[in-house]
Amino acid sequence: MAPFQFIDRPSPFRAASEAFRTVYAVTPTDLEEGRPSADAVAWAKSAGFKADAGSLLLLPGADGQVAGALFGLGSDPTDQPFITGKLPRALPAGVWRIEATALSDRQMALGFAFGTYSFDSYKTAKAPDIFLALPDGIDAAALERTWAAVFLARDLVNTPTNDMGPERLEQVFHALAAHYGATSSSIVGEDLLAQNFPLIHTVGRASAEAPRLLDMRFGRKGARKVTLVGKGVCFDTGGLDIKPAASMLLMKKDMGGAANVLALALMIMDAGLDIDLRVLVPAVENSISANAFRPGDIYRSRKGISVQIDNTDAEGRLILADALAYAGEEEPDLMIDMATLTGAARVALGPDLPPFFTDDEALASALMAASVAEDDALWRMPLFKGYEKDIRARAADITNAPSGGMAGSITAALFLKRFAGGAKSWAHFDIFAWSPNEKPQTPIGGEAQAIRALFSVIATGG
């Protein structure tokens, strides 16, 4: 069975038996030592090709057609492990195979596959078809699911809110579950209040599309319980504490936590990992209307903790609070939440290095090791107890928006920790889910973050 896709695309991979042209990925040292061949090196010298990182030189055939290509890796290919992502945008259409000594077949294949991405659903012109012939012995199924997961996260984030509100996100959620034979359900609108999810209802009640909690289950009962929780704010106006126009431009991506959780769930289900998987996504739109929640309001959460609203633009932690409390009632062995939660995380680490928070030292070590092994950037941040005083409120147990503006990512994590206590191990990921600059493997737009490292840890029992 092929992996789930939200937007159907042909796989970028082809079997080694298919006819292909070769692109030789080379370093300056390769050229100096005569690789890949004397004729190719002579052509490179005559064309001034020096194997600089990302450079490309087409090789002519005897019939006047393009016979192959040279692709520069630079002097240190480890600087850009997915640099082959440039190739789909540079090579002529068709089937290609990469040969190199400086990068692994898996790195080159993933970089190439990620680089084929184009969000052109709303365009009349489409990207040309380009494919990669895989060498024998490589795990094609693993590559396929990783490609599909990354593209799912990107597609969900890139789709504008007029086509990706809470109702559409719910449809994709159920379609993903059905594709892998998982069960799924939804709690919608006033039923959230009847079933004790007051914070999810509060944040989403002003939208034309009712708030909802999405619930998916997959795997073997009795196996290790792994629960994923993703922030699904399909658009964030900021509520009555309205964002300025410039800050609202990218708020279609405020469901990036949900997008990445669904992408990770795809990898887990497609691989058939022997776990008891649960996925929870509170899906809302933080809108403005006469019934919008207000600064100064106080609400009691599912867990019984009262929350004072000091800023309606700190809504993500509210919906996650109810979802985490609900998830914790089953005492999962591992609970992961992912959210585009704070600007403070971007100030601290920028858009490409997501912080994570956990008190589990073994989990933290496993995540950092997987981050390196998978070239999937992560950095651990502290759950510093000294800042717990900052989330206390005057008239309620805690505030959703501490004053002062310092350590915002940490105080947000400490807020969530209050609701995640039912899990035996918990980690919070404050992701950006967006690439503001083009990279070899990533165009500007929605991005998958941390899911490859997380999948590695979950697959190995971490």
Side-chain angles (χ1 to χ4, degrees):
M1 179 175 63
F4 175 83
Q5 292 189 66
F6 169 55
I7 297 175
D8 288 333
R9 295 181 174 86
S11 168
F13 303 118
R14 293 291 183 269
S17 58
E18 198 161 324
F20 59 82
R21 289 173 287 183
T22 301
V23 54
Y24 302 95
V26 295
T27 65
T29 300
D30 287 326
L31 295 181
E32 290 171 6
E33 296 178 354
R35 291 188 294 271
S37 69
D39 287 347
V41 171
W43 177 251
K45 288 181 178 179
S46 67
F49 179 82
K50 299 180 180 179
D52 295 331
S55 58
L56 181 75
L57 178 66
L58 298 178
L59 298 174
D63 57 359
Q65 300 298 310
V66 174
L70 295 177
F71 180 67
L73 296 177
S75 57
D76 186 1
T78 60
D79 283 347
Q80 299 185 74
F82 298 119
I83 194 171
T84 51
K86 284 181 172 286
L87 288 171
R89 301 189 293 277
L91 289 170
V95 181
W96 292 83
R97 180 166 174 175
I98 308 173
E99 290 190 9
T101 57
L103 292 175
S104 71
D105 288 339
R106 182 172 180 271
Q107 280 178 313
M108 292 189 294
L110 284 177
F112 186 98
F114 296 159
T116 64
Y117 184 83
S118 176
F119 186 71
D120 51 20
S121 299
Y122 296 82
K123 295 181 178 180
T124 53
K126 306 297 182 182
D129 287 334
I130 188 164
F131 306 99
L132 181 68
L134 294 174
D136 292 328
I138 198 166
D139 189 342
L143 293 174
E144 288 268 5
R145 77 175 59 99
T146 304
W147 159 75
V150 169
F151 277 34
L152 175 62
R154 291 176 179 179
D155 284 341
L156 292 176
V157 173
N158 284 330
T159 301
T161 308
N162 57 305
D163 288 328
M164 190 52 66
E167 292 178 3
R168 184 69 176 115
L169 183 58
E170 178 185 25
Q171 291 170 8
V172 177
F173 186 93
H174 292 316
L176 174 65
H179 185 84
Y180 290 107
T183 61
S184 60
S185 60
S186 304
I187 304 170
V188 183
E190 298 305 304
D191 286 345
L192 289 166
L193 292 178
Q195 298 188 45
N196 193 24
F197 298 98
L199 295 183
I200 298 173
H201 182 272
T202 293
V203 172
R205 71 191 186 197
S207 173
E209 294 188 15
R212 57 206 69 211
L213 177 62
L214 314 178
D215 193 346
M216 182 191 305
R217 294 175 184 270
F218 172 88
R220 180 174 63 87
K221 295 300 178 185
R224 185 168 55 107
K225 291 183 181 179
V226 176
T227 299
L228 311 178
V229 182
K231 174 187 169 185
V233 178
C234 294
F235 194 83
D236 182 18
T237 65
L240 293 177
D241 289 310
I242 191 169
K243 295 177 182 287
S247 298
M248 223 182 291
L249 285 174
L250 289 183
M251 283 302 99
K252 67 176 183 179
K253 80 170 186 67
D254 213 19
M255 41 66 71
N260 275 272
V261 158
L262 292 183
L264 177 56
L266 181 156
M267 296 177 76
I268 291 170
M269 294 189 291
D270 194 83
L273 298 188
D274 185 24
I275 62 174
D276 184 358
L277 175 68
R278 190 181 193 188
V279 183
L280 290 169
V281 170
V284 304
E285 184 176 350
N286 188 19
S287 299
I288 300 172
S289 70
N291 67 336
F293 72 120
R294 299 161 291 247
D297 285 353
I298 296 176
Y299 298 94
R300 197 164 293 279
S301 67
R302 180 180 183 85
K303 200 173 181 69
I305 299 170
S306 60
V307 183
Q308 179 174 302
I309 308 302
D310 285 322
N311 193 316
T312 62
D313 195 20
E315 84 298 331
R317 66 200 70 184
L318 298 176
I319 64 171
L320 287 173
D322 274 355
L324 288 171
Y326 186 41
E329 291 165 14
E330 290 194 346
E331 299 183 345
D333 297 292
L334 174 63
M335 182 158 64
I336 300 293
D337 80 74
M338 305 186 79
T340 51
L341 205 62
T342 69
R346 313 288 80 78
V347 172
L349 298 177
D352 302 330
L353 182 57
F356 72 93
F357 299 79
T358 184
D359 280 334
D360 186 330
E361 297 299 325
L363 176 61
S365 295
L367 285 167
M368 289 307 299
S371 170
V372 174
E374 297 294 327
D375 291 298
D376 196 8
L378 289 174
W379 196 256
R380 187 184 184 187
M381 294 274 277
L383 286 162
F384 180 55
K385 293 182 179 179
Y387 292 152
E388 286 185 345
K389 66 183 186 305
D390 296 333
I391 63 172
R392 297 172 191 158
R394 293 184 303 276
D397 294 325
I398 55 177
T399 173
N400 78 321
S403 61
M406 294 188 179
S409 184
I410 297 174
T411 54
L414 290 170
F415 179 100
L416 295 179
K417 183 182 177 183
R418 296 284 187 103
F419 300 89
K424 297 174 184 176
S425 179
W426 163 72
H428 159 61
F429 290 76
D430 192 339
I431 65 174
F432 194 49
W434 190 266
S435 180
N437 301 298
E438 185 174 293
K439 305 177 190 65
Q441 74 279 17
T442 307
I444 293 172
E447 182 59 316
Q449 292 186 314
I451 63 171
R452 291 182 291 108
L454 275 166
F455 175 78
S456 175
V457 170
I458 293 169
T460 54

